[in-house]
Amino acid sequence: MRHLIDPTDLSKEEIKEIIALAEDIIADRKKYSEVCKGKKLATLFYEPSTRTRLSFTAAMMELGGNVLGFSDAMSSSVSKGETVADTTRVINCFADIIAMRHSVEGAPLVSAMNSRTPVINAGDGSHAHPTQTLTDLLTIKREIGRFDNITIGFCGDLKFGRTVHSLIKALSKFQGVNVVLIAPEELKLPGYMKHEVCDKLGIPYREVESLEEVIGDLDVLYMTRVQKERFLDEEEYDRVKDCFVLTADKLKDAKPEMRILHPLPRVNEISVDVDNDPRAAYFRQVENGKFVRMALILKLLEWADKPSHHRELISKDVIKGEHRCSNPKCISNTEAHAVEPMFRPSADGNGLRCVYCEHRPVK
């Protein structure tokens, strides 16, 4: 079976294959209008979503398939205490493929471990969002024309921004990518991302606290929302929520061909006076999400039972049951009675990382 839980689950060749298929769908939508006839997608959204949920729904419908599921976990048996694993086993009886959004980190991985149909991670806490990454890549390809040899600036919430983490991982597969990290001290990219992704894979990066000093160097500016729902301390949120606001005036030093991306929703981090600038690609980015999810659904259904596309979910070097994760939002803590803690050696050789959420074990 083949799933998509993390951007690293896809090879560079597979990413290109999905992007190429998405571009073919855009060029000839009619050709794909019945290819999933008789197939059903289950959208299991335990966390609020507009774009991602509707994008998956529209994608499957435009492929000729059907959609079932829930957009509010409290209307399902989750409200009675059903585990992610058991919900997955039940949904396997009704659907051919699953898209799961969850506030608990590691939930889609647990679902995949208990599924006999492909599972797509549609976002798990502040951990990963691989289909947004594919959306971002398709947008970069259509707007810039390439993945190689670009300078991309990530601005805002880089600590909790799962879209940022996922896109950096995916861009690590391409040549000549330079990353600029624009964030206040409280929202800097986590150390494990810098060490285990940027350093290990050789992605040059620099950290700054001013958008103005680097905007002229960028081919892509990736803006992010400061996510109130990820903060445990509301006072800390209030201190950083207005750190970076992009206005039309700040674009005067940007390249004419630069493009502005944002996973949305926005609050106030991009002023509405930017919306009509041709460099603003974030609403075009939304539509790209539908096309790339159509391509992903087709590919996962095609790859499902092909041995050549099989990938192990859990590596053989994991350590089971000897430690507990330090992340209270990890599924190994929220469903401790049903999910066994698992850790893998850190890529930098410095201790262990949780298989579900990449946090350290409790000391």
Side-chain angles (χ1 to χ4, degrees), residues 1 21 27 29 41 144 248 250 345 352:
M1 186 53 59
L21 178 56
R29 301 187 202 184
L41 166 73
I144 303 293
K250 291 180 181 177
L352 302 173

Side-chain angles (χ1 to χ4, degrees), residues 51 132 136 163 222-225 261-265 285-286:
R51 277 150 300 281
Q132 180 63 50
D136 300 339
T163 59
Y222 197 98
M223 296 295 296
T224 65
R225 171 176 65 94
L261 274 61
H262 191 308
L264 302 180
Q285 186 180 355
V286 173

Side-chain angles (χ1 to χ4, degrees), residues 87 110 120 128 133 148 169 175 200 203 262 296 313 337:
T87 297
V110 170
I120 301 169
T133 297
D148 297 316
K169 287 180 180 180
Q175 300 297 313
K200 181 186 175 187
I203 302 177
H262 191 308
L296 177 63
L313 279 169
H337 64 293

Side-chain angles (χ1 to χ4, degrees), residues 52-124:
T52 305
R53 183 173 62 84
L54 294 181
S55 180
F56 269 110
T57 299
M60 193 57 164
M61 291 175 69
E62 291 195 25
L63 291 170
N66 296 301
V67 182
L68 51 87
F70 54 79
S71 59
D72 179 1
M74 297 314 291
S75 65
S76 73
S77 291
V78 174
S79 63
K80 303 173 186 177
E82 186 172 63
T83 64
V84 165
D86 282 359
T87 297
T88 301
R89 294 184 183 107
V90 169
I91 297 300
N92 279 172
C93 300
F94 311 127
D96 301 286
I97 188 167
I98 294 170
M100 177 179 285
R101 160 70 64 87
H102 210 298
S103 60
V104 172
E105 295 167 25
L109 175 58
V110 170
S111 177
M113 291 166 63
N114 292 277
S115 183
R116 50 186 171 82
T117 60
V119 173
I120 301 169
N121 180 2
D124 61 330

Side-chain angles (χ1 to χ4, degrees), residues 39 41 63 88 91 97 119 121 131 142 156 186 219 269 292 299 321:
K39 298 289 186 180
L41 166 73
L63 291 170
T88 301
I91 297 300
I97 188 167
V119 173
N121 180 2
T131 66
R142 297 187 75 194
E186 297 92 336
D219 299 303
E269 63 277 1
V292 87
K299 282 299 175 185

Side-chain angles (χ1 to χ4, degrees), residues 5-44:
I5 306 302
D6 189 87
T8 57
D9 293 340
L10 296 172
S11 68
K12 180 178 178 179
E13 292 70 27
E14 288 169 340
I15 289 174
K16 287 184 173 181
E17 197 174 335
I18 291 168
I19 297 299
L21 178 56
E23 291 178 312
D24 195 56
I25 291 169
I26 292 168
D28 189 355
R29 301 187 202 184
K30 187 176 180 180
K31 181 170 73 173
Y32 295 91
S33 62
E34 297 291 328
V35 291
C36 280
K37 187 174 183 178
K39 298 289 186 180
K40 293 182 285 295
L41 166 73
T43 55
L44 310 184

Side-chain angles (χ1 to χ4, degrees), residues 108 266 313 320 323 344:
R266 69 171 164 188
L313 279 169
K320 299 181 179 181
H323 306 277
R344 58 172 176 79

